[in-house]
PDB file of all heavy atoms in Angstrom:
ATOM      1  N   PHE B  63       5.117  13.578  11.400  1.00 98.00           N
ATOM      2  CA  PHE B  63       5.219  15.045  11.196  1.00 98.00           C
ATOM      3  C   PHE B  63       5.319  15.397   9.750  1.00 98.00           C
ATOM      4  O   PHE B  63       5.770  14.635   8.854  1.00 98.00           O
ATOM      5  CB  PHE B  63       6.631  15.451  11.874  1.00 98.00           C
ATOM      6  CG  PHE B  63       7.073  16.987  11.435  1.00 98.00           C
ATOM      7  CD1 PHE B  63       6.514  18.025  12.259  1.00 98.00           C
ATOM      8  CD2 PHE B  63       7.909  17.194  10.465  1.00 98.00           C
ATOM      9  CE1 PHE B  63       6.917  19.269  11.941  1.00 98.00           C
ATOM     10  CE2 PHE B  63       8.310  18.482  10.118  1.00 98.00           C
ATOM     11  CZ  PHE B  63       7.748  19.552  10.870  1.00 98.00           C
ATOM     12  N   LEU B  64       4.792  16.572   9.412  1.00 98.00           N
ATOM     13  CA  LEU B  64       4.798  17.076   7.982  1.00 98.00           C
ATOM     14  C   LEU B  64       5.222  18.425   7.884  1.00 98.00           C
ATOM     15  O   LEU B  64       4.802  19.305   8.610  1.00 98.00           O
ATOM     16  CB  LEU B  64       3.345  16.840   7.407  1.00 98.00           C
ATOM     17  CG  LEU B  64       3.140  17.443   6.001  1.00 98.00           C
ATOM     18  CD1 LEU B  64       3.870  16.628   5.047  1.00 98.00           C
ATOM     19  CD2 LEU B  64       1.646  17.484   5.667  1.00 98.00           C
ATOM     20  N   SER B  65       5.981  18.664   6.881  1.00 98.00           N
ATOM     21  CA  SER B  65       6.315  20.083   6.447  1.00 98.00           C
ATOM     22  C   SER B  65       6.110  20.082   4.906  1.00 98.00           C
ATOM     23  O   SER B  65       6.945  19.577   4.145  1.00 98.00           O
ATOM     24  CB  SER B  65       7.764  20.522   6.716  1.00 98.00           C
ATOM     25  OG  SER B  65       8.131  21.609   6.144  1.00 98.00           O
ATOM     26  N   ARG B  66       5.080  20.816   4.547  1.00 97.00           N
ATOM     27  CA  ARG B  66       4.601  20.813   3.056  1.00 97.00           C
ATOM     28  C   ARG B  66       5.751  21.664   2.330  1.00 97.00           C
ATOM     29  O   ARG B  66       6.007  21.258   1.198  1.00 97.00           O
ATOM     30  CB  ARG B  66       3.343  21.267   2.916  1.00 97.00           C
ATOM     31  CG  ARG B  66       2.236  20.412   3.403  1.00 97.00           C
ATOM     32  CD  ARG B  66       0.872  20.927   3.330  1.00 97.00           C
ATOM     33  NE  ARG B  66       0.768  22.010   4.318  1.00 97.00           N
ATOM     34  CZ  ARG B  66      -0.290  22.990   4.332  1.00 97.00           C
ATOM     35  NH1 ARG B  66      -1.311  22.755   3.547  1.00 97.00           N
ATOM     36  NH2 ARG B  66      -0.285  23.831   5.297  1.00 97.00           N
ATOM     37  N   SER B  67       6.173  22.692   2.914  1.00 96.00           N
ATOM     38  CA  SER B  67       7.127  23.560   2.209  1.00 96.00           C
ATOM     39  C   SER B  67       8.389  22.914   1.902  1.00 96.00           C
ATOM     40  O   SER B  67       9.063  23.228   0.874  1.00 96.00           O
ATOM     41  CB  SER B  67       7.422  24.808   2.942  1.00 96.00           C
ATOM     42  OG  SER B  67       8.003  24.597   4.196  1.00 96.00           O
ATOM     43  N   LYS B  68       8.784  21.879   2.745  1.00 96.00           N
ATOM     44  CA  LYS B  68      10.083  21.266   2.515  1.00 96.00           C
ATOM     45  C   LYS B  68       9.901  19.884   1.910  1.00 96.00           C
ATOM     46  O   LYS B  68      10.811  19.124   1.517  1.00 96.00           O
ATOM     47  CB  LYS B  68      10.795  20.975   3.801  1.00 96.00           C
ATOM     48  CG  LYS B  68      11.221  22.258   4.550  1.00 96.00           C
ATOM     49  CD  LYS B  68      11.933  21.978   5.859  1.00 96.00           C
ATOM     50  CE  LYS B  68      12.470  23.303   6.486  1.00 96.00           C
ATOM     51  NZ  LYS B  68      13.052  23.095   7.849  1.00 96.00           N
ATOM     52  N   GLY B  69       8.582  19.476   1.665  1.00 97.00           N
ATOM     53  CA  GLY B  69       8.323  18.201   1.014  1.00 97.00           C
ATOM     54  C   GLY B  69       8.863  17.099   1.925  1.00 97.00           C
ATOM     55  O   GLY B  69       9.521  16.103   1.376  1.00 97.00           O
ATOM     56  N   TYR B  70       8.613  17.208   3.143  1.00 97.00           N
ATOM     57  CA  TYR B  70       9.296  16.308   4.160  1.00 97.00           C
ATOM     58  C   TYR B  70       8.277  15.831   5.298  1.00 97.00           C
ATOM     59  O   TYR B  70       7.482  16.509   5.664  1.00 97.00           O
ATOM     60  CB  TYR B  70      10.437  17.071   4.777  1.00 97.00           C
ATOM     61  CG  TYR B  70      11.041  16.503   5.972  1.00 97.00           C
ATOM     62  CD1 TYR B  70      11.834  15.312   5.908  1.00 97.00           C
ATOM     63  CD2 TYR B  70      10.885  17.090   7.223  1.00 97.00           C
ATOM     64  CE1 TYR B  70      12.380  14.741   7.008  1.00 97.00           C
ATOM     65  CE2 TYR B  70      11.455  16.497   8.425  1.00 97.00           C
ATOM     66  CZ  TYR B  70      12.252  15.378   8.280  1.00 97.00           C
ATOM     67  OH  TYR B  70      12.805  14.779   9.345  1.00 97.00           O
ATOM     68  N   SER B  71       8.366  14.534   5.517  1.00 98.00           N
ATOM     69  CA  SER B  71       7.761  13.938   6.686  1.00 98.00           C
ATOM     70  C   SER B  71       8.678  13.039   7.521  1.00 98.00           C
ATOM     71  O   SER B  71       9.604  12.524   6.928  1.00 98.00           O
ATOM     72  CB  SER B  71       6.527  13.180   6.145  1.00 98.00           C
ATOM     73  OG  SER B  71       5.841  12.472   7.147  1.00 98.00           O
TER      74      SER B  71
END
Side-chain angles (χ1 to χ4, degrees):
Chain B
F63 171 84
L64 174 67
S65 169
R66 289 172 297 172
S67 62
K68 295 181 179 178
Y70 168 70
S71 172

